[in-house]
Amino acid sequence: MEKSCFLFRFCVALLMVQFCMLSLVIATAPNISTDQFALLALKAQISYDPHNVLTNNWSIGSSICTWIGITCGFRHRRVIALKLPNMNLEGTIPPHVGNLSYLVILSIENNSFHGSLPNELSHLYRLQHLSFGFNNFNGEIPPWMGSLSKLQNLSLYGNRFTSTIPSSLSNISSLQVIDLSSNKLSGSIPSSIFNIYNLQGIDLKFNMLSGSMPSIISNMSSLQLIDLKGNELSGPLPMDMFDNLPNLQQLRVSYNQFYGQLPSTLFKCKQLQYLSVVQNNFTGSVPSEIGNLIMLTRLYLSNNSFEGPLPSALFNCKQLQILWMSSNRFTGSVPSEIGGLSMLTELFLDNNNFGGSVPSEIGSLSLLIVLQLAHNNFGVQNNLSKTCLHQIPLDPTAETELEKEVFD
């Protein structure tokens, strides 16, 4: 009997201990109060809120799910989106933000947040969209970002990040967009980035990246944009670089130090719409295979050392709107087939060695607003319209495309 009572009391005591432990777990488990604490910690780190958005709205007297910039999930009633763009906020990101464990979207672009990114943000394992563009963050891009396994969009453009691009980013198989443009990144481009199968766009323009362009050996049928403009990259483009990019739409490598010929595989990219190699050291002729790029709307070849005549196949690209060939070593006459580019709005042929006469067919290009022919060896001007003989922009807004190519 005494033994039975002892066992009963022991079981009751054990159940009480388990209940207390469960209560403790429940009490300390992340919940909406955890999210509220994290957001109030963020508010406390805001040193400048010119419109008093957070000051007046983020109040403990109301549900955080009603706060400006906050979205809560229907099922768990936890914060799933924190979006504070374009509010002129100034401050730092506290580590407490890493406790927003249900966060899917974190967007604070176009503010003045500064400092480094806290390691605790690596706990946001549900995060899919991270946008910190146009702030003043500094330090290195932390390697822990490679642990955000569900991330699809990484936008860190327009900050002051330094050091190298972490190769750990290639661990994120779900990544679709990487935008690290307009920072102070240096070193080479990790070749592993071009192993991310789902990648659609990579924008690294306006940094201080150096070294050569890595080969792309994996099938990247989803990749549509490569923008490396305004760096210190050098060497030839790998000859096999474009074998695995069947759906590439935009390639921008302007303002670097690339040299050699354009790879022949480039002209297999039949979806290409935008090709810019301005201000490099490319040489050789423009191959006739360029006529395969029938989707091309913008072609920028200026400020290189291309030579030889223009291939007549170029004029198969009937969708061309912008054609820049300035400051090369092109020779021969300008083919009359240029008149078939009826969509053309800008034509730059200046500073070459073109000869013969200017084809009168240029005068039939009714959409043409900018024409540059100066510093060639043209003879008598044919029956061009008086308007097209002007070698200046014919429209006060015509410089927009030039500015876009240089600064965008």
Side-chain angles (χ1 to χ4, degrees):
M1 181 68 178
E2 290 182 6
K3 185 177 180 180
S4 298
C5 290
F6 173 78
L7 288 174
F8 175 76
R9 287 194 298 270
F10 177 78
C11 290
V12 170
L14 184 61
L15 287 171
M16 290 297 294
V17 171
Q18 291 177 336
F19 176 77
C20 291
M21 292 180 63
L22 180 60
S23 299
L24 182 63
V25 170
I26 293 174
T28 58
N31 52 37
I32 194 68
S33 297
T34 308
D35 292 353
Q36 182 186 55
F37 182 79
L39 294 173
L40 290 175
L42 173 61
K43 177 182 176 180
Q45 292 297 110
I46 302 299
S47 57
Y48 184 62
D49 180 5
H51 306 295
N52 294 314
V53 175
L54 305 190
T55 303
N56 296 333
N57 184 263
W58 283 23
S59 169
I60 59 175
S62 59
S63 167
I64 66 172
C65 296
T66 65
W67 291 0
I68 288 176
I70 303 301
T71 303
C72 292
F74 178 77
R75 180 181 176 188
H76 297 285
R77 301 305 293 169
R78 298 287 304 278
V79 175
I80 61 172
L82 170 56
K83 296 189 288 187
L84 300 172
N86 310 305
M87 292 187 178
N88 295 315
L89 300 174
E90 185 173 339
T92 59
I93 304 296
H96 309 77
V97 173
N99 292 329
L100 298 172
S101 54
Y102 277 78
L103 206 60
V104 175
I105 300 173
L106 177 53
S107 172
I108 56 172
E109 67 269 15
N110 293 307
N111 284 290
S112 295
F113 286 98
H114 56 272
S116 58
L117 302 182
N119 292 335
E120 287 77 6
L121 296 186
S122 64
H123 301 159
L124 302 177
Y125 64 93
R126 290 183 171 92
L127 203 62
Q128 296 179 17
H129 299 274
L130 176 60
S131 181
F132 286 173
F134 289 128
N135 279 281
N136 295 311
F137 290 112
N138 56 28
E140 68 174 6
I141 296 175
W144 56 251
M145 282 195 173
S147 66
L148 301 177
S149 60
K150 296 185 179 180
L151 199 63
Q152 298 176 16
N153 188 314
L154 176 60
S155 296
L156 303 178
Y157 56 86
N159 281 279
R160 299 176 182 177
F161 288 111
T162 56
S163 192
T164 59
I165 300 171
S167 59
S168 61
L169 294 182
S170 61
N171 297 334
I172 313 175
S173 59
S174 56
L175 263 182
Q176 297 176 11
V177 175
I178 299 175
D179 190 346
L180 309 180
S181 61
S182 300
N183 280 283
K184 298 180 179 181
L185 300 172
S186 58
S188 59
I189 301 173
S191 59
S192 56
I193 281 184
F194 292 101
N195 293 329
I196 303 175
Y197 180 75
N198 292 305
L199 197 63
Q200 297 177 11
I202 180 166
D203 192 343
L204 305 177
K205 66 174 176 282
F206 300 137
N207 279 286
M208 297 182 289
L209 299 171
S210 60
S212 59
M213 177 67 200
S215 293
I216 301 176
I217 59 177
S218 300
N219 182 4
M220 300 197 69
S221 58
S222 60
L223 192 59
Q224 300 174 23
L225 165 70
I226 299 175
D227 195 339
L228 308 177
K229 178 169 53 183
N231 281 283
E232 300 169 11
L233 299 165
S234 61
L237 295 179
M239 294 304 293
D240 59 352
M241 174 178 172
F242 303 98
D243 279 334
N244 297 305
L245 301 174
N247 294 308
L248 188 66
Q249 296 180 14
Q250 298 189 45
L251 176 66
R252 309 183 188 195
V253 298
S254 302
Y255 307 100
N256 279 284
Q257 300 166 25
F258 289 116
Y259 58 80
Q261 296 187 352
L262 295 178
S264 59
T265 54
L266 171 62
F267 305 106
K268 296 179 180 180
C269 300
K270 296 185 179 181
Q271 302 301 312
L272 201 63
Q273 301 173 24
Y274 193 122
L275 174 58
S276 179
V277 301
V278 170
Q279 197 70 52
N280 280 282
N281 298 304
F282 288 110
T283 57
S285 60
V286 177
S288 60
E289 286 80 6
I290 196 170
N292 296 333
L293 306 181
I294 60 174
M295 304 293 290
L296 207 60
T297 61
R298 286 167 167 78
L299 177 59
Y300 302 94
L301 303 182
S302 298
N303 297 89
N304 282 283
S305 297
F306 292 113
E307 59 187 10
L310 295 182
S312 58
L314 172 63
F315 306 107
N316 294 336
C317 306
K318 302 295 185 182
Q319 303 300 313
L320 271 175
Q321 300 171 19
I322 312 295
L323 180 56
W324 286 15
M325 314 292 279
S326 304
S327 301
N328 281 286
R329 301 172 183 172
F330 290 116
T331 57
S333 59
V334 178
S336 61
E337 290 90 340
I338 197 169
L341 301 181
S342 60
M343 305 293 291
L344 212 58
T345 61
E346 295 186 18
L347 177 58
F348 286 76
L349 300 178
D350 53 300
N351 291 290
N352 280 287
N353 295 310
F354 290 116
S357 58
V358 178
S360 60
E361 287 79 3
I362 290 180
S364 65
L365 299 175
S366 60
L367 299 181
L368 198 63
I369 56 175
V370 183
L371 175 62
Q372 292 285 354
L373 301 174
H375 305 294
N376 279 287
N377 299 316
F378 291 124
V380 177
Q381 308 292 332
N382 286 356
N383 297 320
L384 289 178
S385 67
K386 182 178 180 181
T387 302
C388 281
L389 282 173
H390 287 285
Q391 297 189 52
I392 57 174
L394 307 180
D395 185 304
T397 64
E399 289 295 328
T400 302
E401 183 63 33
L402 175 60
E403 293 170 355
K404 180 178 180 182
E405 168 57 21
V406 175
F407 299 111
D408 184 19

